[in-house]
Amino acid sequence: MAALSADANQMASYLTALTQPDTNIIRQAEVALKPILKQPGCVPAMVEVIKAQSAQNEATRHVAAIVLRKRITGHLSKFDVPTRNALKAELLAILQTENSRPVRNGVVALVATVCKAEAEGDGAQDSAQAAAGWPELFQFVAAAAGDAHPEARELAFLLLGEMTETVGIHLKPQFATLAGLFGAGLSDGDVKVQNAAVKALGLLMSYLADEAEIDTFAPLVQPVLVVAEACRSRNDEEVVSTTLDVLYDLSFSPSGAVAGHMAPIVRFAQLCMSDSNLEMAVRDSAALVVATMAESKPKLLGRDAALLTGIVETIFNLIETSQGSAAGALFESNPAWKEDFEDQEGHDADDDDDGNGITETGMAQGTLDMLACEIPKKYIFEPVVSRCMARLGSQDPNQRKAGIACLGVIAEGCAEPLRENLAQVMPHVFKTAGDADARVRECACFALGQISEHCQPEVLGYSSQILPIVFALLDDSNIAVQATSCYVLEMFCERLEPEGVRPLLDPLVRKLAGMLEATSKRSVQEMTVAALAATAVAAEEEFAPYVVGVASLMSKLMELKEEKTYSLRGRALECMGHIAIAVGKDNFRPYFGPTMQCACEGLTFDSTDLHEFAYAAFANLAKVMGDEFAPVLGELVPHLVTVIGQDEGQFEQAEDEQGGPFNALDDSDEEDEGGNLVMHIRTALLETKKGAITAVGEMAAHTGAAFVPYMGEVMTVLLKAADNWHPLVKTEVADALSSLVLPCVAQDHGGELSWEKGDIAGQSTLSANTTQAVNVVLKALVTMMKDETEDVVGKACEGVQSIIELCGPHSLALVANDCLENTYSLLAKEAPCQQLEDYGEEFGDDDDDHDAFMTSVCDLVGSFGRVMGQHFVQYLPKFLPAICAYAKSSRPSSDRSMAIGCLGELAQELGSGIADHWSSVFYPAALAGLADSDDSVRRNAAFCIGVICEGLGEVVTSHYTDMLTALSPLFSIDIAEGDTAAACVDNASAAVARMIKASPAHFPTAQVLPVLLKALPLKNDMTENETVYGCLFGMLQQNQPDLIANKVELRRVFGEAASEDSKVDDELKEKLKLALQSLN
């Protein structure tokens, strides 16, 4: 072989230096190379080095290929056509003769770069032009793919893999031919060829996942899975991992052809999840494929019962066989948890952790959580719960652990069906709380906490059982169980009424205080403090006797200054804020100053966590202290405005490309360029900003006219934040904006406004300042109703509702057209937040679950009736069909309840205005609701029937018999089944009362009164007291014979309703007592 030229020799010496293990030598070589690499002559010199198989070592030639790839694009356009063609021919010749695998791979990448430059440099838009740029390359690939030697066939796919983008853009008309080539590669007898084909095809399929052309390659999914499964069997993790990455990309493909392969894709991922021979990172990638399929194709996956149950069974088996804590997911965000409990039973620190925090248990629980949240509940709930119940009866503690842990995991996603089945589920949960195995008890606490958090308010009916169990678990011998039981208290007590916690309040507070003083484990201390805070919220003013002692404990914690104790300090501050909410302004006043001092001091620490806790404290204290909080506004509001206005993103120097050595020698590395910058999001600042928005909103809501001077700057920064990219921030803005109207109302209207329903003809009672604030805020909120995120839309609807109900018809008139149109779009599922991506599913909406934000939308519709009055009647023909679509029997019970409730509100507010629609819409919907299997639906239907009769009077009396027949079964409901059952009976009673008042002459009082009186007094829905007792008072004044005939029963009803422990308000109690006297 001829000797290297002088330029090539010099180039080889510098390139060899780059391979040395000495950083200084490498840097010197880079400095020397930079000016040389700017000259076109560097290209033939490096090609010489690459070709010099006998004269240069492998490492030097490999580096030459890498560096040339980095610089070739900038020089190629400077060469004339013959020179370019000669270079391309020489590169192909090298590929044919190169024996070194690293060098050949380097040249493959170089060839792909040249191909891309040729295709793009000529402005080629189609395959003919692109291929014309280097036709020999594509001939080379085709020939290599059919070569008898496996190395040549492998080379063909290596080239195609490197040229993915070029192929994807410029060779679309040749896709059918390429599909045949890939198909042959996947069935090749040589493993290396198969693997190369999988990788190349995978890259192309990922690139085309969102394109229509993916259909051409969709039939190859099955052969890819066959190759990947063979690789899994022989522990070839690289190909398995590559395949899983491709399957993840395909999960979101809109192609129906790809969706047709969902089952084998999921089964392969399921096998990988279970394969303990694979690294946890690979298994976690498989779990991600399953979770992503559940997210993108929930109905398709849900309808394949065999596939779904197989996944669920795999998840249960993983949790059973794992030695780690199945409640551990609860504490992943607590850095002290692992440190505190690594020596506890069931807290195996290894648990297949790969060093990246991935464990079998975490992987399995995360996947199940996604299944529960995404797949329609009609498909996922039964397979999971039936397996939970079966395992809870097992003699194997590992199975019991899995059963109760999985029940806790699905509590959020399957909250609705779980609430409906608490009576069947809770006895099993209570039993496991006393299990002999500590891991089972810990998971029972986890499940109790999850159910307490997500199954409100139904779970509150079990307070007499839950609280004693949790109280006992606080004394558990396993500290992890003690800590988890604190979590249960925190979740359960947040919405518990004082009477629920009262029986155990004293021993509970003493127990928690004792635990806090006795333990040195920070995570237990934090959870104990959180439990104390929740207990205070539940007890309300009854917590007042404990404030001195608890505040003393918190004051010590609020003085902590070590960084590792910041979270505990913050929890203590949070606890004081909750105590303030519980006991009120007068009881908390002595602690207001010290609490504020701690919160403000926290802002001086370099800790976003402490800042969040401080803002939460400001929000709670403003809510409690009201005008007494006003003196600190001047200091706090500017600070909060600054925080809210901060940019949570910042540009930083991009990290080196993965696998990209010698980046100092890139084309972009010129003296006049600053390199690549990328945006980094400071997620901690997002939470801080959210807390600041909450705080400023509460200050505006509760400090009255004192907040007016700050309205301008706060309004400006919130309107800017309303356009933030992150839904977390926008949701908080939507929640806070409506509060900005309140300072004006306090200053200009004495804190309240009076208005007449539907009256927009007269002079507006709103002051100029209030009108301006209302106009700005409502316009912003109405715009946010078109946001792409459901939570933002829901909060925006709530904000609009609160403002128009406070300020009346004139406020709504400012934005009426847009507001009504946006609301209708939401009801009709035409709004931006409802335009989901099509990922290959073609099912209707019968499998859809209830969208919680739609309750806010329907509440806003009811508010239109309340504010607009008869002006809203003209919109009924448009709105009613959209509302009734949610009342279909195929819809979830929450949807049906929501729709019937909305109709009831409209009937109540519009009265005779529904006359044209009552027989075709309101009445049949209400009758269907009364026959529903769900008590919430029946409750709302009963209300709807009652207000229809109240509003239409004599028009509907001919239907009284049918109405009463439909209402009759509700009086047989066992109120011991829970609050909803009791409320159902209460609403049926109120419906009967309304029917009597609307037309007593047409009502069969003799037959119905005994049934009504037997159901009284009302047990749950106290808002109907006035309706029911007002009806009875009227009948009594008229000495209605049938009522007098039931005097004994009436006396019982009045006596119980007027008793001291009755929930009837005091004014009505006095009326009841007077009525009782007349009956004696």
Side-chain angles (χ1 to χ4, degrees), residues 682-699:
R682 293 171 287 177
T683 52
L685 185 56
L686 284 171
E687 290 288 348
T688 304
K689 181 177 289 191
K690 172 180 175 290
I693 294 170
T694 303
V696 83
E698 294 295 346
M699 291 176 193

Side-chain angles (χ1 to χ4, degrees), residues 182-188 190-199 201 220-234 236 239-240 243 268:
F182 280 120
L186 293 172
S187 59
D188 198 284
D190 188 276
V191 169
K192 290 183 178 178
V193 177
Q194 283 187 351
N195 291 358
V198 166
K199 292 176 183 178
L201 176 59
L220 296 176
V221 170
Q222 188 61 48
V224 166
L225 292 174
V226 171
V227 175
E229 173 54 22
C231 291
R232 185 189 69 82
S233 300
R234 60 174 180 266
D236 185 345
V239 175
V240 173
T243 303
F268 173 70

Side-chain angles (χ1 to χ4, degrees), residues 734-816:
D735 198 25
L737 272 174
S738 60
S739 298
L740 295 187
V741 174
L742 298 176
C744 295
V745 174
Q747 176 179 266
D748 297 350
H749 307 276
E752 59 183 66
L753 287 159
S754 59
W755 48 267
E756 293 293 328
K757 180 190 296 187
D759 180 14
I760 56 174
Q763 182 70 28
S764 171
T765 58
L766 302 178
S767 69
N769 287 336
T770 305
T771 299
Q772 182 181 13
V774 167
N775 190 25
V776 172
V777 170
L778 279 181
K779 283 183 177 179
L781 290 172
V782 170
T783 298
M784 297 179 86
M785 289 173 66
K786 296 187 289 185
D787 195 83
E788 295 181 352
T789 306
E790 293 179 351
D791 288 345
V792 176
V793 173
K795 287 297 183 183
C797 290
E798 292 170 17
V800 172
Q801 179 183 351
S802 68
I803 290 176
I804 65 174
E805 291 189 359
L806 172 67
C807 300
H810 283 284
S811 65
L812 178 57
L814 299 169
V815 294

Side-chain angles (χ1 to χ4, degrees), residues 73 98 133 401 485 557 718 732 745 782 846:
T73 303
E98 181 58 57
K401 175 192 75 171
S485 62
L557 300 178
L718 287 186
E732 209 61 36
V745 174
V782 170
D846 283 351

Side-chain angles (χ1 to χ4, degrees), residues 512-771:
L512 291 171
M515 285 178 62
L516 183 59
E517 291 184 294
T519 184
S520 60
K521 297 186 181 296
R522 284 185 289 118
S523 53
V524 177
Q525 290 175 318
E526 288 179 26
M527 300 186 79
T528 304
V529 171
L532 275 169
T535 303
V537 171
E540 296 181 3
E541 289 190 353
E542 294 183 26
F543 195 80
Y546 306 98
V547 173
V548 174
V550 174
S552 175
L553 292 173
M554 295 304 113
S555 65
K556 298 173 185 176
L557 300 178
M558 289 194 298
E559 293 176 357
L560 295 172
K561 290 182 171 59
E562 283 187 77
E563 185 175 354
K564 67 178 184 179
T565 64
Y566 283 171
S567 182
L568 180 55
R569 173 186 171 126
R571 283 288 190 179
L573 179 62
E574 178 183 61
C575 182
M576 292 302 289
H578 284 137
I579 289 174
I581 294 288
V583 301
K585 178 190 295 188
D586 292 338
N587 288 318
F588 191 76
R589 187 174 286 110
Y591 309 97
F592 175 47
T595 305
M596 284 294 296
Q597 181 179 352
C598 172
C600 292
E601 185 183 50
L603 298 179
T604 66
F605 287 61
D606 184 18
S607 167
T608 54
D609 284 346
L610 279 183
H611 296 179
E612 284 178 53
F613 282 119
Y615 300 148
F618 294 152
N620 284 330
L621 294 177
K623 190 183 303 182
V624 174
M625 304 308 295
D627 56 353
E628 294 184 28
F629 193 90
V632 300
L633 292 177
E635 178 182 354
L636 293 182
V637 173
H639 168 81
L640 295 172
V641 167
T642 300
V643 172
I644 298 168
Q646 280 183 303
D647 188 350
E648 63 275 3
Q650 59 185 15
F651 285 101
E652 297 178 2
Q653 191 72 36
E655 296 179 5
D656 290 348
E657 290 182 8
Q658 187 175 2
F662 316 123
N663 282 300
L665 303 177
D666 280 347
D667 262 340
S668 61
D669 188 47
E670 304 291 353
E671 289 78 8
D672 59 343
E673 296 183 7
N676 295 325
L677 297 177
V678 294
M679 174 70 80
H680 282 265
I681 303 300
R682 293 171 287 177
T683 52
L685 185 56
L686 284 171
E687 290 288 348
T688 304
K689 181 177 289 191
K690 172 180 175 290
I693 294 170
T694 303
V696 83
E698 294 295 346
M699 291 176 193
H702 298 285
T703 57
F707 196 85
V708 170
Y710 310 99
M711 288 278 291
E713 57 183 320
V714 171
M715 187 79 78
T716 299
V717 77
L718 287 186
L719 291 177
K720 180 183 177 182
D723 290 327
N724 191 278
W725 64 277
H726 201 286
L728 186 74
V729 173
K730 289 190 289 186
T731 301
E732 209 61 36
V733 170
D735 198 25
L737 272 174
S738 60
S739 298
L740 295 187
V741 174
L742 298 176
C744 295
V745 174
Q747 176 179 266
D748 297 350
H749 307 276
E752 59 183 66
L753 287 159
S754 59
W755 48 267
E756 293 293 328
K757 180 190 296 187
D759 180 14
I760 56 174
Q763 182 70 28
S764 171
T765 58
L766 302 178
S767 69
N769 287 336
T770 305
T771 299

Side-chain angles (χ1 to χ4, degrees), residues 470-476 482 485-486 489 508 511-512 515:
V470 176
F471 188 78
L473 289 170
L474 291 172
D475 280 326
D476 197 277
Q482 293 179 23
S485 62
C486 290
L489 281 175
L508 189 56
K511 169 61 68 178
L512 291 171
M515 285 178 62

Side-chain angles (χ1 to χ4, degrees), residues 327-340:
L330 180 64
F331 311 107
E332 286 177 354
S333 61
N334 190 331
W337 183 256
K338 187 173 182 179
E339 173 189 330
D340 285 347

